[in-house]
Amino acid sequence: DGVLRSVHGRTDVTQNVRTMVVEGQRVALMGDMSNTNDNLAGIDFWPQAMRALKYIVQKTQAAVVLSSDWRKQESLVQGINNQMGEYGMPKLYGQTPDLSATTGIGVVKALHSNVREKRAKEIRKWLRTHPKITRYVAIDDMDLSPNRRDELLHQQSGSAEPMPFLDMSSDFVKCNPAVGLTMDLAKLAIALLNGGPVSDQELDRAYGRSPQEGASAGLDP
């Protein structure tokens, strides 16, 4: 939500279909009861956002790894794969681990200062388990870059580990949740994936301001 579809979802395409609640929002899942294989999850994805994602995949041969809460429901994952197929993209390459999931009796859940840190840690963990991945870009409407408060909390913790947050100048593209993934943001992601320099003009087209200013103005989903 906020990258490929509206944070609140569209209502014109989800009437009279079975739904479920994901991240506090009701998401369309199934069609009528006569065809329970009619998975409509993802049917309300923004066409322009899907075209922008396809542009990234075409230009970089990148694979897509799912890091949002949609990965926690198989029906939603299948809906994403269906929509990617509709746009001529390969299925999802994988999904990040859920660090909030219970892994067994006596296992202590990982502690996170906020949901932003948790998602960044999940991305970092996936990357550690896939060491052959040398270039990547996270795309999210949640700000996964560090702010001053994050830095202060990290200093106060005394941890020798680096902060897990991502860097908007090298491996993170932030979407406006009211607009989602645009072609200008896609071009920025391509530049980062290719390891080339990103010009001020590209940043201005993508964010309409510096990335730091864009981050401070953003909203979590």
Side-chain angles (χ1 to χ4, degrees):
D1 290 356
V3 176
L4 297 180
R5 74 191 290 267
S6 167
V7 172
H8 299 291
R10 283 168 49 193
T11 59
D12 58 322
V13 295
T14 59
Q15 293 178 354
N16 303 318
V17 295
R18 297 169 64 187
T19 62
M20 72 178 298
V21 175
V22 178
E23 293 182 311
Q25 305 297 331
R26 189 163 293 280
V27 177
L29 286 180
M30 300 291 183
D32 59 59
M33 295 296 289
S34 64
N35 185 2
T36 56
N37 291 323
D38 183 18
N39 189 338
L40 298 180
I43 195 173
D44 59 345
F45 285 174
W46 283 311
Q48 70 272 18
M50 292 299 292
R51 288 193 292 267
L53 179 61
K54 181 178 181 179
Y55 187 68
I56 296 173
V57 172
Q58 287 180 327
K59 292 296 184 180
T60 65
Q61 301 303 305
V64 179
V65 177
L66 186 62
S67 61
S68 78
D69 276 0
W70 278 52
R71 73 195 191 283
K72 298 178 183 179
Q73 297 288 339
E74 184 59 35
S75 295
L76 299 183
V77 173
Q78 184 58 49
I80 293 172
N81 280 327
N82 291 345
Q83 289 301 307
M84 293 182 73
E86 287 288 329
Y87 281 84
M89 288 181 281
K91 291 184 178 181
L92 293 167
Y93 182 79
Q95 56 194 50
T96 58
D98 180 10
L99 295 184
S100 65
T102 302
T103 55
I105 298 176
V107 177
V108 179
K109 292 182 181 179
L111 297 177
H112 323 285
S113 61
N114 53 57
V115 67
R116 296 169 43 256
E117 181 180 350
K118 174 178 174 292
R119 184 163 296 181
K121 285 181 177 179
E122 291 167 342
I123 293 171
R124 296 292 188 191
K125 183 173 183 178
W126 188 91
L127 288 168
R128 287 196 299 272
T129 59
H130 296 79
K132 292 184 179 180
I133 303 298
T134 57
R135 292 197 180 278
Y136 63 92
V137 168
I139 302 175
D140 208 309
D141 71 322
M142 185 186 302
D143 185 9
L144 302 182
S145 62
N147 56 39
R148 181 56 180 161
R149 182 175 181 275
D150 297 322
E151 295 171 351
L152 290 174
L153 288 174
H154 187 259
Q155 291 173 0
Q156 293 171 1
S157 71
S159 174
E161 295 292 325
M163 289 192 298
F165 296 103
L166 304 175
D167 187 343
M168 295 184 80
S169 67
S170 61
D171 55 21
F172 175 51
V173 170
K174 185 184 182 303
C175 296
N176 179 334
V179 179
L181 181 62
T182 65
M183 192 59 72
D184 285 328
L185 288 174
K187 291 176 181 178
L188 178 59
I190 291 168
L192 295 176
L193 282 169
N194 288 336
V198 178
S199 68
D200 291 339
Q201 290 80 4
E202 287 175 308
L203 290 173
D204 185 61
R205 282 195 300 268
Y207 294 113
R209 63 192 78 188
S210 72
Q212 290 76 17
E213 289 173 336
S216 64
L219 299 174
D220 285 344

